[in-house]
Amino acid sequence: MVVPVRLSAAPKPLARPVLYSGFHPGAAMEQAKPSFPEASIPEHRHADALIEVLHQVQQQRGYLPAEALAQVARDLALPLSRVHGVATFYHLFALQPPTSHCCSVCLGTACFVKGAGVLVAALEQRLGLRFGARSPQRRDAEGSDGDAWSLREESCLGACAQAPVLRVDGQLVLGLPVSDPSRLAACFGALALPDRAAEAA
Amino acid sequence: MASMLRCCSASGCRSAGGEALQQALVEARSRAGAGDGAPVIKAVGCLRLCSRGPLVAVDGPAGSVLYGEVPSARAAELLEACAAPPRAAAARRALASHALDLRHPFFALQEPVVLETCGLIDPESIDDAMAHGAYSTLHRCQAELTPAQVREQVRLSGLRGRGGAGYPTGLKWDTVALQPPGPRWLVANADEGDPGAFMDRAVLEGDPHRLIEGMAIAAWAVGADQGLIYVRAEYPLAIARLRRALAEVQARGQLGSLRLRVRVGAGAYVCGEETALLASIQGRRGNPRPRPPYPAQLGLWGAPTLINNVETLAAIPAILRRGAADYAALGTAGSRGTKVFSLSGAVRHTGLVEVPMGTSLRTIVVTMGGGVPGGEGADGGVKAVQTGGPSGGCIPAALLDTPVDYEGLRALGSMMGSGGMVVIDQATGMLELARYFMRFSVAESCGKCVPCRAGTVQLLQLLDRFCDQRASPADLAQLHDLCAMVKATSLCGLGQCAPNPVLSTLRHFHQEVVSALAVAPGGAP
């Protein structure tokens, strides 16, 4: 069946807020389009670019806001359920805005064997957060959440030879000294992790 | 030969200070005055012994030395070590404590085939790769052989899929090539999701042109004119280098009419399964579908699609250059050639090893890896070796003499998997490890079929009871039954293999399982 394509560029929309810029469904489609004879290409094939489009949105917005998902669905002529289904299936797509700081612990096998559990416990205490949780939202007038942290797990980062591994705000930290609490605390200090436990005391 | 400093620029070494060290070397060189004789400083791929990173190899008139854990402050001495013998000697003496012995079994027993130029070439320079022979095998194949002859060579080499299942590569290529006329696709599976595995990352980061050349040969042999490389998003450096390599090679016109592109995953382990991978490429949830039809018959956009793992494709240029017979001379009767393993966990020397198939676990883990740090005895303090990730199992120290090949590991209830090898020491409980893998399977189950979606959750709850010492003998019986059911009835490999870590624990560490049973009121377990 041939589905009519509706591109966002065609009708001039009423002043719609710009949810994500620089994205051209046509270009993404072009990238995704195989060089089959035109006749065999079903019109709905641009839906194949969905994951790439979601990556682009997340890169620009930091996460996937509900309005952006709706717009992606319109642009790609897909049911919103399909867009939502894909966005929730993949671990790396976030439906919530990210905290300004993020600390993630690799839970690969080597890290598990080399004491990632101890690392998680130490971080939970230090940041005053449960594993998988984030600091409560306290956004100020500028929309900044100040010093909010989240503590979460990360699938294997492939740095198994230097386990256990941590990622703080995108920076990879290797070979943490989990068997020595004071050196571990010094490492956390060097990474500028706030010491919520000490602040509370 | 001009003297040269090869700095490991794989993501591990980079984060361990390699990037800073390389910067310090460049600065030290310009301070010293960069004349004609100044050493070349080159960023290269993985130099293998990741645990001693950052690694720098010094090639000078006085020979080659590999240095590990060198602080940036000693950059000037490293430069000196490249000089002619009388000057270099003093610097090399001063750096002696950082020198790594290349005659150590960790290096000496390696048989680099897939990794033959990894660590020698600059992964961001196509000129350097081509100076080391990249794309020459492709052109020779296209000039001297027919596609059928290339497939025959691959078949004769005995190469089997390195992603885990071990399907004969030549057979897969023939299946795709012999489909009715029409478009064909080629996909490189670089969705290396097994926790504890980083072989493909090393190839992508250290030698992307080898993968691209392997893909170009495969595409030509099966008649595909389009290809995709599906890389997991957790490897940003690999993605960047691959994209750069593709842009360069396409600008040079080395690939002819073949078009290759990179697709980035979004964090789903199940997408390493081939039908789930195809769904993901086509913008859908990564749900597997039943086979047949196999992707070789019905794949991307309905066209026959050849899907091979990165390491499989990276072995192709070497196989065709050396000849099938030469490659097949390595390894065992059922498993030819070499395999790259990522050695990690409780072992002294961690990193990347490429050895002929059939090498014993003891050789890899104890002789090359040095056993558990501080471990003693013939087994080097090793309690078990985990292979195959969440789909594999644990092999106890008593069976360390097992030759590592597809059938050998399967017979022990584990599997080759993609090549992750994690050494377990006495401090790690096997039931906790089994529970760790089951948690992984629960989190990564796509939810399409019931045995995997619900069965893994039930298995996890049973394992919780064991780990908390409140399991009854009835729980043990149920654990056995449920494992058998999930294994037999799940739709894809993820579900079918999810019970393997539990089954191998039940089989090889039965004593540990029995002693975890709750103590009954009467006193006996």
Side-chain angles (χ1 to χ4, degrees):
Chain A
M1 193 189 72
V2 173
V3 178
V5 190
R6 189 163 59 83
L7 295 182
S8 61
K12 199 80 175 161
L14 295 171
R16 189 165 66 177
V18 178
L19 296 167
Y20 53 99
S21 60
F23 159 63
H24 307 288
M29 250 185 280
E30 191 46 51
Q31 275 177 7
K33 194 158 119 181
S35 68
F36 286 178
E38 283 301 316
S40 71
I41 303 176
E43 288 287 353
H44 57 261
R45 69 171 327 3
H46 59 294
D48 298 343
L50 177 57
I51 292 176
E52 293 184 319
V53 171
L54 293 178
H55 269 307
Q56 289 177 25
V57 175
Q58 180 150 311
Q59 210 161 24
Q60 289 174 15
R61 301 288 305 269
Y63 73 112
L64 302 175
E67 329 84 82
L69 289 182
Q71 191 181 330
V72 168
R74 280 196 299 275
D75 288 348
L76 298 184
L78 283 172
L80 181 58
S81 60
R82 163 97 186 269
V83 176
H84 204 266
V86 169
T88 51
F89 182 86
Y90 294 95
H91 298 312
L92 294 181
F93 289 136
L95 300 184
Q96 269 194 311
T99 47
S100 48
H101 298 286
C102 177
C103 178
S104 48
V105 184
C106 176
L107 287 188
T109 318
C111 290
F112 174 81
V113 172
K114 300 277 269 187
V118 181
L119 185 59
V120 168
L123 282 167
E124 279 182 327
Q125 210 193 358
R126 172 111 188 177
L127 295 172
L129 286 174
R130 266 187 313 106
F131 195 45
R134 48 197 281 157
S135 311
Q137 293 280 328
R138 263 186 255 107
R139 289 190 180 271
D140 57 23
E142 278 102 59
S144 159
D145 60 357
D147 199 18
W149 280 81
S150 54
L151 174 61
R152 53 190 190 83
E153 73 171 90
E154 182 117 45
S155 55
C156 182
L157 293 165
C160 318
Q162 295 107 321
V165 179
L166 187 66
R167 193 145 69 166
V168 179
D169 291 341
Q171 183 200 349
L172 208 57
V173 189
L174 309 170
L176 285 128
V178 283
S179 51
D180 184 344
S182 57
R183 273 181 63 212
L184 189 60
C187 271
F188 291 166
L191 291 166
L193 296 183
D195 194 347
R196 301 280 190 243
E199 284 166 22
Chain B
M1 188 184 78
S3 49
M4 186 184 286
L5 287 155
R6 287 177 285 131
C7 303
C8 179
S9 68
S11 52
C13 270
R14 260 165 69 123
S15 299
E19 215 172 359
L21 177 61
Q22 196 185 339
Q23 189 62 34
L25 283 169
V26 171
E27 283 163 16
R29 186 180 59 180
S30 57
R31 265 201 308 278
D36 282 345
V40 178
I41 296 168
K42 181 154 93 172
V44 296
C46 183
L47 290 170
R48 318 294 194 272
L49 187 57
C50 309
S51 51
R52 299 291 302 273
L55 300 172
V56 181
V58 172
D59 306 324
S64 288
V65 189
L66 182 63
Y67 293 102
E69 295 170 309
V70 190
S72 301
R74 306 194 69 173
E77 288 164 87
L78 281 172
L79 279 171
E80 275 291 296
C82 292
R87 261 176 67 204
R92 289 187 177 201
R93 263 198 307 279
L95 286 167
S97 64
H98 293 285
L100 305 174
D101 184 6
L102 292 174
R103 289 163 305 175
H104 185 280
F106 183 87
F107 298 106
L109 296 182
Q110 299 226 13
E111 177 78 46
V113 173
V114 170
L115 299 177
E116 62 186 351
T117 47
C118 176
L120 293 177
I121 63 157
D122 179 354
E124 300 194 352
S125 159
I126 188 173
D127 291 316
D128 198 28
M130 288 177 72
H132 283 83
Y135 303 108
S136 60
T137 310
L138 169 67
H139 299 318
R140 204 178 54 82
C141 286
Q142 289 177 336
E144 296 170 16
L145 302 176
T146 64
Q149 284 172 319
V150 170
R151 297 201 303 273
E152 191 189 10
Q153 287 293 307
V154 173
R155 205 167 51 241
L156 292 176
S157 74
L159 178 66
R160 295 171 64 177
R162 297 296 192 238
Y167 190 80
T169 306
L171 211 55
K172 206 184 223 181
W173 287 24
D174 279 342
T175 313
V176 175
L178 301 177
Q179 295 297 312
R184 282 147 173 63
W185 277 86
L186 168 67
V187 175
N189 183 349
D191 191 48
E192 184 175 53
D194 273 359
F198 53 91
M199 305 75 46
D200 295 350
R201 176 177 68 75
V203 172
L204 298 168
E205 287 180 357
D207 200 356
H209 289 289
R210 177 164 298 261
L211 168 66
I212 297 170
E213 184 177 10
M215 288 184 77
I217 294 172
W220 187 71
V222 302
D225 64 351
Q226 298 249 29
L228 290 166
I229 307 167
Y230 186 92
V231 195
R232 68 197 291 251
E234 287 86 347
Y235 289 173
L237 184 64
I239 295 167
R241 290 201 172 145
L242 200 51
R243 286 204 164 122
R244 187 194 166 107
L246 273 181
E248 281 186 335
V249 70
Q250 280 169 342
R252 298 283 178 100
Q254 292 288 332
L255 300 184
S257 62
L258 175 65
R259 283 188 61 209
L260 297 178
R261 286 191 308 272
V262 175
R263 275 296 179 97
V264 178
Y269 173 70
V270 68
C271 288
E273 198 278 341
E274 57 182 11
T275 59
L277 188 148
L278 295 180
S280 181
I281 287 176
Q282 295 175 96
R284 295 173 176 272
R285 289 163 69 99
N287 285 335
R289 64 162 172 79
R291 298 173 299 181
Y294 289 91
Q297 304 159 296
L298 198 71
L300 278 184
W301 295 289
T305 302
L306 175 66
I307 306 178
N308 276 146
N309 169 266
V310 167
E311 196 186 327
T312 315
L313 289 164
I316 296 294
I319 289 173
L320 288 158
R321 195 191 64 242
R322 299 164 65 135
D326 191 44
Y327 182 82
L330 296 163
T332 63
S335 310
R336 304 286 184 186
T338 60
K339 177 80 191 83
V340 185
F341 293 101
S342 50
L343 189 58
S344 65
V347 63
R348 196 169 287 142
H349 310 299
T350 58
L352 214 56
V353 295
E354 182 171 4
V355 290
M357 288 275 192
T359 305
S360 75
L361 273 175
R362 185 184 304 282
T363 306
I364 299 175
V365 169
V366 182
T367 313
M368 299 176 81
V372 176
E376 283 169 13
D379 299 338
V382 175
K383 180 178 183 182
V385 180
Q386 210 283 337
T387 66
S391 311
C394 286
I395 296 162
L399 296 172
L400 276 182
D401 288 314
T402 309
V404 180
D405 59 17
Y406 291 100
E407 277 69 32
L409 293 182
R410 192 160 291 165
L412 295 178
S414 183
M415 65 185 278
M416 177 77 81
S418 55
M421 199 174 267
V422 183
V423 181
I424 314 292
D425 59 359
Q426 303 294 340
T428 307
M430 302 313 288
L431 280 162
E432 317 241 295
L433 188 68
R435 177 167 71 167
Y436 159 79
F437 280 119
M438 197 50 67
R439 272 205 193 114
F440 182 89
S441 293
V442 168
E444 296 296 340
S445 172
C446 80
K448 180 169 176 170
C449 73
V450 180
C452 174
R453 182 181 66 224
T456 51
V457 174
Q458 296 301 324
L459 282 172
L460 179 58
Q461 286 174 0
L462 280 171
L463 288 169
D464 278 338
R465 296 174 67 84
F466 280 93
C467 291
D468 301 344
Q469 306 260 321
R470 55 189 169 85
S472 66
D475 289 331
L476 184 56
Q478 194 175 17
L479 195 61
H480 274 286
D481 290 350
L482 201 50
C483 279
M485 193 273 282
V486 172
K487 199 177 167 73
T489 56
S490 290
L491 171 61
C492 80
L494 190 149
Q496 288 159 11
C497 297
N500 282 355
V502 183
L503 288 170
S504 81
T505 300
L506 291 174
R507 174 170 166 189
H508 298 301
F509 297 92
H510 197 253
Q511 199 47 48
E512 214 168 301
V513 177
V514 169
S515 59
L517 290 174
V519 178

